[in-house]
Amino acid sequence: MGISERDVTTPRGRVHVRETAPSGAGPADPARTDGAGTVVLVHGNCSSSAFFHHLLGRLPAGWRGLAPDLRGFGDSEPLPVDATRGMRDFSDDLAALLDTLGITRAAFVARSAGAGAVMQLAIDRPDLVGPVLLEAPMSPYGFGGTAGPEGRPCWPDFAGSGGGTANPEFVAALAAGARGAARASSPLSVFRSLYVVPGTALEDEDLLLDSVLSTRTGEHHYPGPAVPSENWPGTGPGTTGMNNALSPRYFDVSAFADVVGVGPVTWVRGDADAIVSDTSLLDIGHLGATGAVPGWPGEETYPAQPMVAQMRAVLDRYAAAGGAYEEIVLPGVGHSPHLEDPDRFTEILARVVA
């Protein structure tokens, strides 16, 4: 299946997309323009549509693939991110793209932070969202600063989330386009240790590294500014940029549980995910508990964020309200199931859109 790239101008800006045309026998009619048979693939933080390059070529027969670069990533117009809207800048961009292309309903593959954008889209525009495959999705209560399956804030100002939690050496290496792996904080080292299970061999690693390095950095993009806090660990979310948009101060898609007419949902995660888990290596609460961040105020005040438990609690509510979901855990897989176990992931996707 051939993959092409183009820019689509929408009322909200220019969006760069990778796409395929339907091929072979299947449920989609290539002549239709109402989105029948369209799978929209939405990438996560510090990546781009290039992460789905091979998956686009493995879509089930008859299905069109559409993978956009979110603002601040890849080759889309680098529009600023208003963090006070949570992920709505991204979900509104997705809605504008689908509306511009005349796609009235689609299936979605939503990876990591991209899951937050798609869940927000489902809340605001449920008419657009059919079956959803959540791949290693972030918590519905954002990244950092919450406790318990109900996502209660550890501090009133959500300290421990936002732009100040990013590793400044990693940010500097992104900005410099560094390609080496001599430092643990280099983009390639971070990819090899966190995006996938360490030791994973990927033929297209250079393409994937290019995708990571396409991340725009700064005040309005990744990670965004920090605000000093009197609460541990001393930093809170600012009002612009990617990591601040992921702060639970602004981001909460738990209302997905009450959305009608969306789904079914298939939740795929690896049991060795180091980024999204109940003991995430990037979560301030967990890092404090392990002594990596000094001054931790203790388990009662600031526990590790139970990201998996929080997602399960919201999806259980979604099911109780009449929705349907399935949780699939892949053994020995990390934060990128479609890269680490592509055959199994493709099988799951075929079932999702069947």
Side-chain angles (χ1 to χ4, degrees):
M1 183 182 296
I3 300 171
S4 60
E5 299 183 46
R6 62 170 169 143
D7 288 340
V8 178
T9 300
T10 80
R12 290 182 54 81
R14 177 181 54 79
V15 180
H16 187 78
V17 300
R18 282 175 163 80
E19 61 185 338
T20 64
S23 65
D29 176 0
R32 297 180 66 172
T33 60
D34 64 353
T38 299
V39 181
V40 181
L41 304 97
V42 185
H43 67 82
N45 201 359
C46 296
S47 60
S48 71
S49 64
F51 256 58
F52 295 121
H53 186 80
H54 286 302
L55 182 59
L56 281 167
R58 296 167 61 101
L59 294 181
W63 287 85
R64 170 196 186 190
L66 181 71
D69 289 337
L70 300 178
R71 61 170 64 196
F73 304 96
D75 293 321
S76 285
E77 185 175 356
L79 298 168
V81 177
D82 179 356
T84 66
R85 306 187 72 232
M87 291 294 279
R88 277 194 168 93
D89 271 353
F90 303 101
S91 61
D92 286 352
D93 289 348
L94 290 173
L97 174 64
L98 297 186
D99 289 343
T100 298
L101 295 177
I103 298 172
T104 59
R105 192 169 178 85
F108 285 83
V109 174
R111 178 179 177 272
S112 192
V118 171
M119 293 176 79
Q120 187 66 66
L121 178 66
I123 293 168
D124 296 337
R125 289 287 306 275
D127 56 299
L128 293 174
V129 183
V132 177
L133 197 167
L134 299 175
E135 180 191 4
M138 63 179 290
S139 165
Y141 298 103
F143 204 99
T146 63
E150 73 280 14
R152 68 182 184 278
C154 296
W155 301 118
D157 65 351
F158 297 93
S161 67
T165 63
N167 183 333
E169 293 184 358
F170 174 67
V171 177
L174 277 179
R179 303 191 67 87
R183 292 178 172 271
S185 58
S186 73
L188 182 56
S189 295
V190 169
F191 175 83
R192 289 173 173 175
S193 62
L194 295 179
Y195 283 55
V196 297
V197 168
T200 302
L202 297 170
E203 293 181 0
D204 54 354
E205 188 178 72
D206 284 343
L207 171 69
L208 297 168
L209 178 59
D210 288 341
S211 178
V212 174
L213 292 174
S214 76
T215 303
R216 303 296 181 109
T217 60
E219 179 180 354
H220 295 290
H221 296 113
Y222 179 85
V227 173
S229 172
E230 296 179 354
N231 298 310
W232 183 87
T235 181
T239 59
T240 60
M242 182 65 181
N243 281 22
N244 291 315
L246 301 179
S247 166
R249 178 172 183 177
Y250 312 116
F251 174 81
D252 179 347
V253 292
S254 59
F256 181 86
D258 304 314
V259 172
V260 176
V262 166
V265 173
T266 303
W267 171 20
V268 178
R269 63 182 182 87
D271 67 357
D273 192 334
I275 293 179
V276 175
S277 79
D278 290 351
T279 54
S280 168
L281 295 182
L282 299 183
D283 172 51
I284 289 294
H286 177 65
L287 293 173
T290 62
V293 178
W296 183 55
E299 184 75 19
E300 287 192 9
T301 300
Y302 210 116
Q305 182 183 1
M307 302 177 188
V308 172
Q310 289 174 345
M311 178 60 77
R312 188 177 296 117
V314 168
L315 292 181
D316 282 346
R317 286 174 44 211
Y318 166 77
Y325 89 93
E326 178 185 10
E327 178 181 355
I328 300 174
V329 183
L330 302 181
V333 169
H335 192 57
S336 304
H338 79 279
L339 297 176
E340 298 170 80
D341 194 348
D343 291 340
R344 178 74 173 119
F345 192 87
T346 303
E347 291 173 4
I348 294 169
L349 177 57
R351 229 174 50 226
V352 167
V353 300

